[in-house]
Amino acid sequence: VPFAAIASLMNMLMMAGLSEQGGGIYGAANRIASETMASIRVVMAFGMQEKRAEEYRKELDKVMPSVVKRAILGGFMVGFMMFIWLALFSISFWFGDWLMDRNEINFV
């Protein structure tokens, strides 16, 4: 149980830290999208759709390495937590079988 608690705590702390860091990670891209949607008539009138889309893509490309790193780290932490839980289950089953083999426990 302490291993599971430690794994859950590590996952919680890591996710909390990443959410604090990532609050404004999409800030510039969101600004471009908001400005474009707010003045969609002007953008359409001057044919600036492709220019605005390219600016948006460039801003997203800037943050992509950070997003991929966060996704990999998050996946690793979830996998680690699942490993701990399943390892605890398997150890419990093994220990119960070991006790039954030595006739130290009986369920009849």
Side-chain angles (χ1 to χ4, degrees):
V1 176
F3 293 116
I6 291 170
S8 297
L9 180 66
M10 285 174 49
N11 189 24
M12 183 182 68
L13 291 175
M14 191 234 11
M15 288 299 175
L18 289 179
S19 66
E20 287 175 8
Q21 281 179 346
I25 197 166
Y26 293 109
N30 286 342
R31 181 187 50 77
I32 291 170
S34 296
E35 288 174 1
T36 301
M37 296 311 285
S39 58
I40 191 69
R41 289 183 180 176
V42 174
V43 170
M44 295 295 287
F46 290 110
M48 297 172 52
Q49 302 95 321
E50 292 301 319
K51 180 179 183 262
R52 296 302 280 182
E54 186 59 34
E55 289 174 7
Y56 184 71
R57 271 189 227 106
K58 284 180 183 176
E59 289 300 325
L60 289 180
D61 287 342
K62 288 179 187 176
V63 298
M64 183 60 78
S66 174
V67 171
V68 169
K69 179 180 161 185
R70 291 168 72 191
I72 290 171
L73 191 56
F76 175 77
M77 289 306 293
V78 168
F80 178 69
M81 246 179 35
M82 295 273 71
F83 170 76
I84 293 295
W85 278 107
L86 292 174
L88 288 173
F89 284 136
S90 63
I91 289 170
S92 299
F93 285 128
W94 172 82
F95 186 67
D97 182 56
W98 182 76
L99 288 175
M100 287 174 52
D101 283 346
R102 296 183 64 191
N103 291 325
E104 294 185 21
I105 192 170
N106 190 354
F107 292 105
V108 178

